[in-house]
Amino acid sequence: MNWILLFIAGLFEVMFATCLGKAKETTGSEAYLWYFGFFISLLISMLLLIKVTQSLPIGTSYAIWTGIGAVGTVLIGIFLFKEPVDFLRLFFLATLILSIVGLKFVSH
């Protein structure tokens, strides 16, 4: 169950990064709504991370949480914000994913 919560916490990290990107693209009350989404996503992500670290090692939890956030944010950047895609970027993204999976397998 803790691994599922850690994955969900990572998804909320992706959400708060996405909200920041969208807030940068908008103005006025729409930007404030994105900032509100950022705050709520950040709060949920941190609370889930705190809960998970009560049972899983902090180093492993944090590394996986940031890894999920990094991978998700890069993918959102590519698909939503039209950031460039090239071989090296995808190669290092794949190595990051493999590292996350590896940490899951070697953690007790």
Side-chain angles (χ1 to χ4, degrees):
M1 182 63 175
N2 285 315
W3 291 102
I4 294 169
L5 291 178
L6 182 58
F7 181 76
I8 293 169
L11 292 179
F12 274 100
E13 185 184 2
V14 174
M15 287 178 60
F16 74 70
T18 303
C19 287
L20 279 180
K22 294 299 280 182
K24 187 175 77 169
E25 293 179 346
T26 59
T27 59
S29 60
E30 186 178 354
Y32 289 119
L33 288 173
W34 286 112
Y35 285 124
F36 180 72
F38 162 79
F39 177 74
I40 296 301
S41 300
L42 177 65
L43 181 66
I44 293 169
S45 184
M46 291 295 164
L47 289 174
L48 288 172
L49 183 62
I50 289 167
K51 174 146 181 55
V52 166
T53 57
Q54 293 171 353
S55 301
L56 298 175
I58 184 109
T60 302
S61 300
Y62 184 74
I64 291 175
W65 177 74
T66 57
I68 292 168
V71 168
T73 303
V74 168
L75 292 174
I76 291 293
I78 290 169
F79 292 111
L80 186 64
F81 297 110
K82 308 298 184 219
E83 292 178 359
V85 180
D86 58 33
F87 172 77
L88 285 177
R89 190 169 190 184
L90 293 178
F91 171 77
F92 288 116
L93 190 62
T95 61
L96 184 54
I97 293 168
L98 289 173
S99 297
I100 293 168
V101 171
L103 278 172
K104 176 13 178 143
F105 282 121
V106 300
S107 298
H108 304 304

